[in-house]
């Protein structure tokens, strides 16, 4: 079976969708499928590479407009391809347009990672094409039932949707050197809160910083992004320089150790752009309870209130502080929620389970 994944970028470009595509493509190669990934290059030259058995085409990039790389050769490359399944990773308008024009696959699958949230001006022009894209697809993968219900687009094509949650390999977050964990706790002190993610507007870190004023704890912030300078300034203005540590990017090995060294993980998302929150899975696999916000997406599908953590309203520092204080002062509750969080990942959110469900969908479409 020949599979074509289509998106704008691929690692080493950082991003949750990029990492998802790489992990999925490499797993499909190991399962015996022939996999091509079509993305754009970071320069004007088209590149043809092979990585871990994946045939990677990076079409030369002409420009970058509103978070969207533009490439004429992207369409040329898509026109030449003939595969069994074209798997689009939405949103990336040029990829969806190219698939409509050239239809390189016998069947089309879309993983609907997120609504278009911020680029509302562009959405007004893209809207008619988007409906054609959704109706043309043979199947649409949503990462949670909440997203199907709350999306103004998926809710109208719900009969085409199937829920296949994102998944991770939990093992790296469970087998961490205990000496490293103890060293981190000695270095930073206790108790420890952890935030992991790209520092973008929808992560809501400013509300967590405001909540920290009410807490006796230290917050570790892993990640970089366009809001970093502003949020560092906010931490300083709130008098938190000694209790909020911006760590930048860390290695995967160090990241697992940070998860295990901390007491509570926090995802204070403020907008629907946070569609799933894979970092919650990593924290849960490490046995951490999670405090997240209700933004109407998959974040509350992953983190179940009262089962794996606590869910509070978005953009509410007082609610965040209250939930975190409750967990920090109740070790038994932290332990119970953390154990249930680890079990939920093992049952519902492993990478192997996700890959198997997607493969089953492919075969069903080709043989229906």
């Amino acid at each position: 079976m020949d599979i074509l994944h289509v998106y704008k970028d691929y690692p080493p470009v950082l991003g949750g969708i990029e990492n998802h595509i790489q992990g999925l493509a490499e797993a499909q190669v190991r399962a015996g499928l022939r996999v091509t990934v079509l993305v754009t290059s970071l320069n004007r030259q088209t590149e043809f590479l092979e990585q871990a058995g994946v045939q990677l085409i990076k079409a030369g990039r002409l420009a970058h407009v509103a978070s969207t790389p533009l490439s004429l050769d992207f369409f040329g490359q898509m026109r030449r391809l003939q595969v069994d399944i074209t798997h689009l990773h939405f949103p990336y308008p040029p990829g969806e347009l190219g698939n409509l024009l050239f239809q390189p696959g016998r069947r089309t699958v879309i993983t609907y990672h997120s609504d278009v949230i911020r680029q509302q001006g562009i959405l007004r022009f893209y809207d008619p094409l988007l409906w054609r894209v959704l109706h043309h697809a043979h199947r649409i993968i949503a990462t949670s039932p909440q997203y199907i219900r709350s999306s103004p687009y998926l809710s109208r094509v719900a009969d085409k949707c199937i829920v296949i949650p994102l998944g991770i390999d939990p093992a790296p977050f469970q087998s961490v050197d205990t000496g490293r964990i103890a060293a981190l706790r000695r270095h930073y002190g206790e108790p420890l809160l952890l935030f992991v993610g790209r520092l973008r507007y929808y992560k809501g870190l400013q509300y967590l910083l405001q909540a920290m004023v009410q807490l006796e704890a230290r917050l570790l912030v892993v990640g970089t992004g366009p809001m970093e300078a502003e949020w560092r300034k906010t931490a300083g203005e709130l008098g938190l320089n000694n209790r909020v540590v911006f760590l930048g990017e860390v290695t995967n090995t160090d990241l697992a150790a940070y998860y295990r060294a901390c007491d509570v993980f926090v995802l204070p998302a403020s907008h629907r752009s946070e569609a799933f929150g894979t970092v919650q899975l990593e924290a849960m696999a490490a046995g951490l309870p999670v405090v997240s916000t209700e933004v109407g997406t998959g974040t509350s599908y992953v983190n179940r209130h009262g089962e794996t953590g606590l869910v509070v309203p978005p953009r509410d520092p007082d609610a965040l502080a209250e939930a975190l204080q409750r967990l920090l002062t109740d070790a038994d509750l932290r332990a119970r929620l953390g154990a249930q969080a680890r079990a939920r990942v093992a049952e519902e959110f492993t990478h192997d389970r996700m890959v198997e469900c997607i493969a089953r969908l492919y075969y069903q479409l080709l043989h229906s």
Side-chain angles (χ1 to χ4, degrees), residues 25 29 31 44 46 57 61 75 88 111 116 137 184 190 211 226 230 246 276 278 288 294 300 356 363:
V29 168
R44 292 179 175 268
T46 296
I57 304 173
R61 183 180 302 195
F75 296 107
L88 304 176
T111 293
V116 177
L184 287 172
E190 303 177 30
E230 181 174 331
F246 287 85
F276 188 81
T278 307
L288 281 187
E294 181 55 81
S300 303
E356 180 183 345
Y363 282 106

Side-chain angles (χ1 to χ4, degrees), residues 139-158:
R139 208 71 163 143
I140 302 167
I141 297 173
T143 54
S144 71
Q146 281 89 331
Y147 217 92
I148 297 174
R149 292 194 295 268
S150 64
S151 167
Y153 294 93
L154 291 190
S155 59
R156 292 172 60 181
V157 289

Side-chain angles (χ1 to χ4, degrees), residues 326-339:
R326 179 183 173 192
L327 289 174
L328 290 174
T329 56
D330 192 335
D332 290 339
L333 178 61
R334 288 201 311 273
R336 176 170 61 83
L337 296 180

Side-chain angles (χ1 to χ4, degrees), residues 4 38 71-83 86 94-106 108 136:
L4 170 65
L38 175 62
S71 166
L72 288 178
D73 196 40
F74 183 91
F75 296 107
Q77 296 299 329
M78 183 176 283
R79 187 176 185 177
R80 298 183 186 97
L81 292 166
Q82 290 187 328
V83 296
T86 300
E96 292 124 32
L97 174 61
N99 187 65
L100 280 177
L101 292 174
F102 305 119
Q103 300 185 31
R106 294 165 53 198
T108 296
H136 177 263

Side-chain angles (χ1 to χ4, degrees), residues 184-185 188-194 217-218 220 261-264 328:
L184 287 172
R185 291 184 72 83
Y188 291 110
E190 303 177 30
L192 287 176
L193 306 176
L194 181 64
R218 178 163 284 180
L220 305 182
C262 290
D263 298 289
V264 182
L328 290 174

